[in-house]
Amino acid sequence: MKNDNALPLEYSTDQNKMNILGFWVFLGAEVMLFATLFATYFTLEHRTGNGPTGAEIFEIAPVLIETILLLTSSFTIGLGVHAMRIGRKNAMITFFSITLLLGLAFLGVEIYEFVHYAQIGAGLQVSAFTGVLLTTLGTHGAHVTFGLFWGLFIIMQVKKRGITPETANKSFIFSLYWHFLDVVWIFIFSFVYLKGMM
């Protein structure tokens, strides 16, 4: 096992480098998943039938709150990775914990949003538009939920084992996943919500 001290800890072994490369390949598959969802959404967004349109159901306030929460969480996960690279275990755990709390708050707002949609008659089976909208949002929300559990396990491992090449690698890969969710949300915010409100 080769160790290169010139590289950040998460890249410090050949296995770590392969793990990161493998995760980039996985993210490529995730890009295809969301690209398919977006393509389906853009095809069906005007097929509202007797159901509501995006302009009728979208509210800017919850969407802005969700966006601010996720953008902030992307910043805090970056601070966590920086703390990890300089060996500040407690700071890293703190920033990762703040990231997860922001993600949890995001999910809370999204659940409120889904309940609101159900109350105003924008359910999964109302129209092609509402079906693909809720599927797209729900898929992203499911990824965030998975990320919360994954991040919690990362924090537990770092607390128990400290910052090692293995825990640094896992933490960095988690941060890539979290940034990916943020990028997907920017697309949802821009091309689903903002476009749909016009």
Side-chain angles (χ1 to χ4, degrees):
M1 184 169 58
K2 183 181 169 187
N3 196 312
D4 187 349
N5 292 327
L7 292 171
L9 195 58
E10 66 269 17
Y11 284 97
S12 62
T13 69
D14 289 337
Q15 182 62 53
N16 282 8
K17 291 174 193 172
M18 291 304 294
N19 290 347
I20 292 169
L21 176 62
F23 193 74
W24 278 112
V25 173
F26 167 76
L27 284 184
E30 289 285 284
V31 167
M32 294 310 297
L33 167 66
F34 281 101
T36 302
L37 285 170
F38 283 126
T40 307
Y41 177 82
F42 296 141
T43 303
L44 301 175
E45 67 178 317
H46 298 297
R47 298 188 183 182
T48 56
N50 294 323
T53 66
E56 292 170 334
I57 65 172
F58 293 152
E59 296 179 350
I60 192 65
V63 179
L64 280 177
I65 292 168
E66 287 169 316
T67 304
I68 291 166
L69 287 168
L70 267 194
L71 286 175
T72 306
S73 74
S74 206
F75 177 67
T76 57
I77 196 79
L79 292 175
V81 169
H82 176 69
M84 174 190 80
R85 285 177 173 168
I86 61 174
R88 302 283 301 276
K89 174 183 164 183
N90 290 338
M92 176 195 172
I93 289 171
T94 299
F95 285 125
F96 271 59
S97 299
I98 292 169
T99 299
L100 297 187
L101 287 173
L102 290 166
L104 189 62
F106 169 87
L107 272 184
V109 178
E110 189 164 67
I111 290 167
Y112 158 80
E113 202 176 11
F114 271 56
V115 170
H116 171 69
Y117 290 158
Q119 288 173 343
I120 61 174
L124 198 60
Q125 297 179 335
V126 170
S127 69
F129 162 67
T130 57
V132 73
L133 170 70
L134 295 175
T135 300
T136 303
L137 296 178
T139 301
H140 181 264
H143 278 69
V144 173
T145 303
F146 173 76
L148 293 178
F149 286 103
W150 184 6
L152 191 59
F153 287 124
I154 294 287
I155 290 170
M156 289 164 62
Q157 284 192 357
V158 171
K159 266 189 167 180
K160 184 178 179 181
R161 302 177 190 169
I163 299 173
T164 67
E166 184 184 2
T167 59
N169 187 242
K170 290 178 181 179
S171 301
F172 180 71
I173 287 172
F174 171 71
S175 76
L176 292 178
Y177 177 81
W178 200 262
H179 287 306
F180 170 74
L181 296 182
D182 194 38
V183 170
V184 171
W185 181 256
I186 294 301
F187 276 89
I188 292 174
F189 174 72
S190 303
F191 298 109
V192 174
Y193 286 112
L194 292 184
K195 185 170 173 280
M197 288 176 189
M198 294 176 182

